[in-house]
Amino acid sequence: MSAPDTGLLVALVGNPNTGKSTLFNALTGLRQRVGNYPGVTVARKSGTCDLGEGQKVELVDLPGLYSLSAASPDEQVVTDALAGNIAGDRRPDAVLLVVDATNLLRNLFLASQVAELGLPVVLVLNQADVAKEQGLRIDTDLLSRRLGGVPVVLTSAWKGEGVAEIRRALARALAEKTQLARVAWPAEIARALGDVAAAASAGTDRAVSAADAQRLLFDATPSTAERLGWSAAARDKVLRSARDRVRNAGYNPMAAEPLVHYAHLRALLDGVVAEGLGKAGRTAAVDRLLLHRVLGPVLFVGIMLGFFASVFWLAKFPMGWIQSGVDALKLFVAPPLEPYPMLQSLLADGIVGGVGAFLTFLPQILILFLFLGVLEDSGYMARAAFIMDRLFSWCGLNGKSFVPMLSGFACAIPSLLSTRTIEDPKARLATAFVVPFMSCSARFPVYALMCGAFIGPLYGAGWESVVMVAMHCVGLLFAVPTAFVLTRLVLKVKPQPFVLELPRYQLPKPRDVLWRMWQNAAEFVSKAGTVIFAITIVVWALSYFPRDAAVAERVRAASPTLSADALRARIQAAYVEQSYMGRFGKAVQPAFDPLGFDWKITVGVLASFPAREVIVSTLGVTYSVGEGAEADSQALRKAMQDARWPEGPRAGSPIFSLAAVLALMVFFALCSQCGPTVATLAQETGGWRWAALSFGYMTLLAWAVAALVYQVVSRLA
Amino acid sequence: MTPLSQLLPGQFGKLASLNPERGVDQRLMALGLLPGMVLKLIRKAPLGDPLAIEFAGQVVSLRLAEAENLIVDVSADCPIQRPRQP
């Protein structure tokens, strides 16, 4: 928690797709802090908002939601935050309510619920430009009066219009404590709410607020009662008789809240919005094309293929620059350290080489996050879920699982966090379980190395692309049946409700997309990068030590006729082979023999369990360094192409045969080789049980499928 | 009286009843889909499921199975003109 103890806290609340985040960025000017709420992995985004005249407040951007009746952890955080029920966080001093000016009725339902909390409110009617285009004229003065005098501000966050007015209105709301007018509950419902509040206060020894009483009475889920510590035994009878009272007044207790609020809002909005002539907007027309029965799926596949193709092609250039930079850095640091061979090796091969290998695929991660942001902000992500839902619903997932699964192609960690938008805990668990199967960008360097060194040169660029695409599908191929078994046989998930708004299409705002890309990438680098850095050093040390001078002497004595360069390479190889890593790899190699892995690949596989991309740098150490070459990719490719089995039944044949190359890629496609992912999964699923199951299942599956691939392909080839 | 799932794309209806005990219907009610509300089935997804329906100036996706319990009156005095698209 980074919230300062002094100063005022303002919560930003609103429906999804109202431009809330754009407004947040505009108000805080990107002076933001990102943290986590305790216990759950909902990100807490906050920033400093200057209200002018030296007054500064902390603005916290709460997740978007339609109703305070919480169905997902994201929504629960909003309810808890507004009630001041989050450990280490204060109750907000005011609420900045963002609503879509083009749909006041639906948006004001949440406002009407928030009114019950009794907090000072500023109402922001965002997307005023779109409302104007549609011919809507909103009488903000009348709306403000009807809402009890709260400041009502028309803004267009996309264009940056009205932001200054929000600052002024917020200062006024904080000073004057402007509260939203509350709904008038029918007498019987008011009495039922009073009964619940009194009984709950008596049952929990604390004053239960009117807002909490509503959650207790109207929600089917017991989350509020559990939070208050009101036992099931105590509350059942009270709630049953209170709900009977509501029923006697002619309302279904489960429908009373929206019925009363919407009736109140209809009366309140009467005469506020005047509909004039305007353009209908292009969303319906675009949907006719993008959701067309035939063209829709074709365009969907096209967009996704274009998405991945451009990620790989666009990333190629910066990747090349980073690679050259790393090589240049290595040449720069190595010579002055010539007198200290251990330090030279640690710095040049270990740190620069290892971190460099990680940095080279950073451009891909950035571009993936950029594209995901564009898909999300434009409104196409919801359409993708709409098109794909049927394909997911049969295996117990839904179209919302598609978003985490798609972003799983970038990185499993943010995707695991994005499963929180799925309301049902079991569907969420199933989605989280299959997300690590998606071919994340850390697998890409493995495929790139293998395809670039073997598939491309031997079979041509066409097959290289085919194998590339196929490798990205392998995980998906196993993820879907896994989800089916998990949801139908293990978790026994009931068919999931799938209610999803298809929002208006919008041009993504570059600043928002770039900023989120930067935040996501920074989070990824700081989480994964530190692990990778540590692994790099450990792997280097395990393959450098023990450094017994007798090894070099023995090689020199055995081959006295070799040139100096060849001799040095021979010595290096001997050192790696007798290092701790080499010895361990050799000991474990028989387990990987059915997959066609030699001890060097085995070393790479073992070293990459904490972070799979480490395989590239590890192969760099075991092959390039071991054979006296620089660890840049051309030399590594050459060394791998030349590698032959030294002994055994396969003696003399290439280690990297087609079968072994495919088996290696399939192994990496399926294996659970990412420490941060396993940790995030444990955190998301509330314990190590599912994380351990995921790790064991994926690793065994990877071994079995890779063995199958090797055995089949090596017999066919 | 017809289940929403049997409406044709482009057809209007007035919501007659829903089941407030169901989670899906609670979500829809929060979005303003209450008895008496006029809605329109805009289209079905390319694979036939889910549906996209429009009501109260918004487009919402829901599954065929979920639409079966939403009973609409297609003979009611539904507007001939199209509701304003969001």
Side-chain angles (χ1 to χ4, degrees), chain A residues 59-77:
Chain A
L59 191 64
V60 55
D61 186 15
L62 294 174
L65 82 174
Y66 297 106
S67 162
L68 288 185
S69 173
S72 71
D74 264 19
E75 297 173 352
Q76 192 63 53
V77 160

PDB file of all heavy atoms in Angstrom, chain A residues 59-77:
ATOM      1  N   LEU A  59      -6.125   9.996  -6.223  1.00  0.00           N
ATOM      2  CA  LEU A  59      -7.228   9.461  -7.005  1.00  0.00           C
ATOM      3  C   LEU A  59      -6.971   7.965  -7.221  1.00  0.00           C
ATOM      4  O   LEU A  59      -5.890   7.584  -7.671  1.00  0.00           O
ATOM      5  CB  LEU A  59      -7.293  10.191  -8.344  1.00  0.00           C
ATOM      6  CG  LEU A  59      -8.516   9.966  -9.224  1.00  0.00           C
ATOM      7  CD1 LEU A  59      -9.772  10.488  -8.537  1.00  0.00           C
ATOM      8  CD2 LEU A  59      -8.336  10.671 -10.565  1.00  0.00           C
ATOM      9  N   VAL A  60      -7.945   7.128  -6.857  1.00  0.00           N
ATOM     10  CA  VAL A  60      -7.745   5.688  -7.067  1.00  0.00           C
ATOM     11  C   VAL A  60      -8.757   5.206  -8.099  1.00  0.00           C
ATOM     12  O   VAL A  60      -9.951   5.496  -8.026  1.00  0.00           O
ATOM     13  CB  VAL A  60      -7.817   4.900  -5.728  1.00  0.00           C
ATOM     14  CG1 VAL A  60      -9.110   5.151  -4.984  1.00  0.00           C
ATOM     15  CG2 VAL A  60      -7.642   3.405  -5.969  1.00  0.00           C
ATOM     16  N   ASP A  61      -8.232   4.511  -9.125  1.00  0.00           N
ATOM     17  CA  ASP A  61      -9.050   4.059 -10.255  1.00  0.00           C
ATOM     18  C   ASP A  61      -9.591   2.664  -9.934  1.00  0.00           C
ATOM     19  O   ASP A  61      -8.867   1.678  -9.999  1.00  0.00           O
ATOM     20  CB  ASP A  61      -8.169   4.015 -11.516  1.00  0.00           C
ATOM     21  CG  ASP A  61      -8.968   3.692 -12.766  1.00  0.00           C
ATOM     22  OD1 ASP A  61     -10.208   3.781 -12.713  1.00  0.00           O
ATOM     23  OD2 ASP A  61      -8.347   3.358 -13.794  1.00  0.00           O
ATOM     24  N   LEU A  62     -10.860   2.587  -9.561  1.00  0.00           N
ATOM     25  CA  LEU A  62     -11.451   1.287  -9.207  1.00  0.00           C
ATOM     26  C   LEU A  62     -11.918   0.559 -10.467  1.00  0.00           C
ATOM     27  O   LEU A  62     -12.247   1.194 -11.469  1.00  0.00           O
ATOM     28  CB  LEU A  62     -12.623   1.487  -8.244  1.00  0.00           C
ATOM     29  CG  LEU A  62     -12.230   2.035  -6.866  1.00  0.00           C
ATOM     30  CD1 LEU A  62     -13.459   2.348  -6.039  1.00  0.00           C
ATOM     31  CD2 LEU A  62     -11.339   1.052  -6.126  1.00  0.00           C
ATOM     32  N   PRO A  63     -11.936  -0.791 -10.447  1.00  0.00           N
ATOM     33  CA  PRO A  63     -12.363  -1.538 -11.630  1.00  0.00           C
ATOM     34  C   PRO A  63     -13.768  -1.133 -12.083  1.00  0.00           C
ATOM     35  O   PRO A  63     -14.619  -0.797 -11.258  1.00  0.00           O
ATOM     36  CB  PRO A  63     -12.355  -2.992 -11.146  1.00  0.00           C
ATOM     37  CG  PRO A  63     -11.432  -3.023  -9.986  1.00  0.00           C
ATOM     38  CD  PRO A  63     -11.544  -1.675  -9.344  1.00  0.00           C
ATOM     39  N   GLY A  64     -13.999  -1.188 -13.391  1.00  0.00           N
ATOM     40  CA  GLY A  64     -15.309  -0.837 -13.936  1.00  0.00           C
ATOM     41  C   GLY A  64     -16.351  -1.884 -13.574  1.00  0.00           C
ATOM     42  O   GLY A  64     -16.054  -3.079 -13.516  1.00  0.00           O
ATOM     43  N   LEU A  65     -17.585  -1.445 -13.274  1.00  0.00           N
ATOM     44  CA  LEU A  65     -18.637  -2.400 -12.936  1.00  0.00           C
ATOM     45  C   LEU A  65     -20.007  -1.792 -13.207  1.00  0.00           C
ATOM     46  O   LEU A  65     -20.139  -0.581 -13.354  1.00  0.00           O
ATOM     47  CB  LEU A  65     -18.518  -2.862 -11.476  1.00  0.00           C
ATOM     48  CG  LEU A  65     -19.085  -1.984 -10.363  1.00  0.00           C
ATOM     49  CD1 LEU A  65     -18.969  -2.718  -9.044  1.00  0.00           C
ATOM     50  CD2 LEU A  65     -18.379  -0.661 -10.283  1.00  0.00           C
ATOM     51  N   TYR A  66     -21.006  -2.650 -13.324  1.00  0.00           N
ATOM     52  CA  TYR A  66     -22.360  -2.192 -13.637  1.00  0.00           C
ATOM     53  C   TYR A  66     -23.228  -2.056 -12.395  1.00  0.00           C
ATOM     54  O   TYR A  66     -24.199  -1.329 -12.388  1.00  0.00           O
ATOM     55  CB  TYR A  66     -23.041  -3.166 -14.608  1.00  0.00           C
ATOM     56  CG  TYR A  66     -22.362  -3.259 -15.959  1.00  0.00           C
ATOM     57  CD1 TYR A  66     -21.611  -4.371 -16.301  1.00  0.00           C
ATOM     58  CD2 TYR A  66     -22.476  -2.221 -16.880  1.00  0.00           C
ATOM     59  CE1 TYR A  66     -20.990  -4.454 -17.536  1.00  0.00           C
ATOM     60  CE2 TYR A  66     -21.864  -2.296 -18.114  1.00  0.00           C
ATOM     61  CZ  TYR A  66     -21.115  -3.410 -18.447  1.00  0.00           C
ATOM     62  OH  TYR A  66     -20.498  -3.491 -19.658  1.00  0.00           O
ATOM     63  N   SER A  67     -22.895  -2.852 -11.355  1.00  0.00           N
ATOM     64  CA  SER A  67     -23.746  -2.878 -10.176  1.00  0.00           C
ATOM     65  C   SER A  67     -22.882  -3.156  -8.950  1.00  0.00           C
ATOM     66  O   SER A  67     -21.862  -3.849  -9.040  1.00  0.00           O
ATOM     67  CB  SER A  67     -24.791  -3.989 -10.340  1.00  0.00           C
ATOM     68  OG  SER A  67     -25.355  -4.317  -9.100  1.00  0.00           O
ATOM     69  N   LEU A  68     -23.285  -2.607  -7.820  1.00  0.00           N
ATOM     70  CA  LEU A  68     -22.532  -2.870  -6.589  1.00  0.00           C
ATOM     71  C   LEU A  68     -22.805  -4.270  -6.048  1.00  0.00           C
ATOM     72  O   LEU A  68     -22.161  -4.711  -5.102  1.00  0.00           O
ATOM     73  CB  LEU A  68     -22.892  -1.834  -5.514  1.00  0.00           C
ATOM     74  CG  LEU A  68     -22.347  -0.419  -5.731  1.00  0.00           C
ATOM     75  CD1 LEU A  68     -22.673   0.451  -4.530  1.00  0.00           C
ATOM     76  CD2 LEU A  68     -20.844  -0.438  -5.957  1.00  0.00           C
ATOM     77  N   SER A  69     -23.783  -4.956  -6.638  1.00  0.00           N
ATOM     78  CA  SER A  69     -24.024  -6.344  -6.270  1.00  0.00           C
ATOM     79  C   SER A  69     -22.901  -7.175  -6.890  1.00  0.00           C
ATOM     80  O   SER A  69     -22.939  -7.528  -8.053  1.00  0.00           O
ATOM     81  CB  SER A  69     -25.379  -6.780  -6.822  1.00  0.00           C
ATOM     82  OG  SER A  69     -25.545  -8.150  -6.612  1.00  0.00           O
ATOM     83  N   ALA A  70     -21.854  -7.436  -6.099  1.00  0.00           N
ATOM     84  CA  ALA A  70     -20.603  -7.946  -6.649  1.00  0.00           C
ATOM     85  C   ALA A  70     -20.696  -9.408  -7.062  1.00  0.00           C
ATOM     86  O   ALA A  70     -21.172 -10.244  -6.300  1.00  0.00           O
ATOM     87  CB  ALA A  70     -19.485  -7.777  -5.631  1.00  0.00           C
ATOM     88  N   ALA A  71     -20.267  -9.695  -8.288  1.00  0.00           N
ATOM     89  CA  ALA A  71     -20.256 -11.077  -8.755  1.00  0.00           C
ATOM     90  C   ALA A  71     -18.839 -11.573  -9.007  1.00  0.00           C
ATOM     91  O   ALA A  71     -18.613 -12.756  -9.135  1.00  0.00           O
ATOM     92  CB  ALA A  71     -21.085 -11.204 -10.029  1.00  0.00           C
ATOM     93  N   SER A  72     -17.871 -10.685  -9.098  1.00  0.00           N
ATOM     94  CA  SER A  72     -16.494 -11.106  -9.353  1.00  0.00           C
ATOM     95  C   SER A  72     -15.572 -10.406  -8.358  1.00  0.00           C
ATOM     96  O   SER A  72     -15.963  -9.431  -7.720  1.00  0.00           O
ATOM     97  CB  SER A  72     -16.101 -10.736 -10.787  1.00  0.00           C
ATOM     98  OG  SER A  72     -15.948  -9.346 -10.898  1.00  0.00           O
ATOM     99  N   PRO A  73     -14.339 -10.918  -8.199  1.00  0.00           N
ATOM    100  CA  PRO A  73     -13.408 -10.297  -7.247  1.00  0.00           C
ATOM    101  C   PRO A  73     -13.162  -8.824  -7.567  1.00  0.00           C
ATOM    102  O   PRO A  73     -13.041  -8.002  -6.660  1.00  0.00           O
ATOM    103  CB  PRO A  73     -12.118 -11.103  -7.425  1.00  0.00           C
ATOM    104  CG  PRO A  73     -12.509 -12.368  -8.077  1.00  0.00           C
ATOM    105  CD  PRO A  73     -13.762 -12.107  -8.845  1.00  0.00           C
ATOM    106  N   ASP A  74     -13.120  -8.499  -8.873  1.00  0.00           N
ATOM    107  CA  ASP A  74     -12.944  -7.108  -9.289  1.00  0.00           C
ATOM    108  C   ASP A  74     -14.034  -6.232  -8.704  1.00  0.00           C
ATOM    109  O   ASP A  74     -13.788  -5.152  -8.168  1.00  0.00           O
ATOM    110  CB  ASP A  74     -13.060  -7.010 -10.819  1.00  0.00           C
ATOM    111  CG  ASP A  74     -11.701  -7.050 -11.480  1.00  0.00           C
ATOM    112  OD1 ASP A  74     -10.761  -7.495 -10.813  1.00  0.00           O
ATOM    113  OD2 ASP A  74     -11.610  -6.646 -12.645  1.00  0.00           O
ATOM    114  N   GLU A  75     -15.283  -6.723  -8.827  1.00  0.00           N
ATOM    115  CA  GLU A  75     -16.418  -5.940  -8.363  1.00  0.00           C
ATOM    116  C   GLU A  75     -16.453  -5.891  -6.842  1.00  0.00           C
ATOM    117  O   GLU A  75     -16.847  -4.892  -6.245  1.00  0.00           O
ATOM    118  CB  GLU A  75     -17.719  -6.538  -8.911  1.00  0.00           C
ATOM    119  CG  GLU A  75     -17.777  -6.478 -10.417  1.00  0.00           C
ATOM    120  CD  GLU A  75     -18.974  -7.199 -11.018  1.00  0.00           C
ATOM    121  OE1 GLU A  75     -19.701  -7.890 -10.271  1.00  0.00           O
ATOM    122  OE2 GLU A  75     -19.169  -7.080 -12.215  1.00  0.00           O
ATOM    123  N   GLN A  76     -16.026  -6.990  -6.216  1.00  0.00           N
ATOM    124  CA  GLN A  76     -15.986  -7.028  -4.756  1.00  0.00           C
ATOM    125  C   GLN A  76     -15.042  -5.958  -4.219  1.00  0.00           C
ATOM    126  O   GLN A  76     -15.322  -5.333  -3.200  1.00  0.00           O
ATOM    127  CB  GLN A  76     -15.551  -8.430  -4.293  1.00  0.00           C
ATOM    128  CG  GLN A  76     -15.734  -8.678  -2.811  1.00  0.00           C
ATOM    129  CD  GLN A  76     -17.197  -8.616  -2.392  1.00  0.00           C
ATOM    130  OE1 GLN A  76     -18.036  -9.288  -2.974  1.00  0.00           O
ATOM    131  NE2 GLN A  76     -17.510  -7.798  -1.396  1.00  0.00           N
ATOM    132  N   VAL A  77     -13.924  -5.751  -4.936  1.00  0.00           N
ATOM    133  CA  VAL A  77     -12.963  -4.734  -4.506  1.00  0.00           C
ATOM    134  C   VAL A  77     -13.619  -3.362  -4.486  1.00  0.00           C
ATOM    135  O   VAL A  77     -13.412  -2.575  -3.562  1.00  0.00           O
ATOM    136  CB  VAL A  77     -11.721  -4.744  -5.429  1.00  0.00           C
ATOM    137  CG1 VAL A  77     -10.967  -3.434  -5.336  1.00  0.00           C
ATOM    138  CG2 VAL A  77     -10.804  -5.894  -5.061  1.00  0.00           C
TER     139      VAL A  77
END
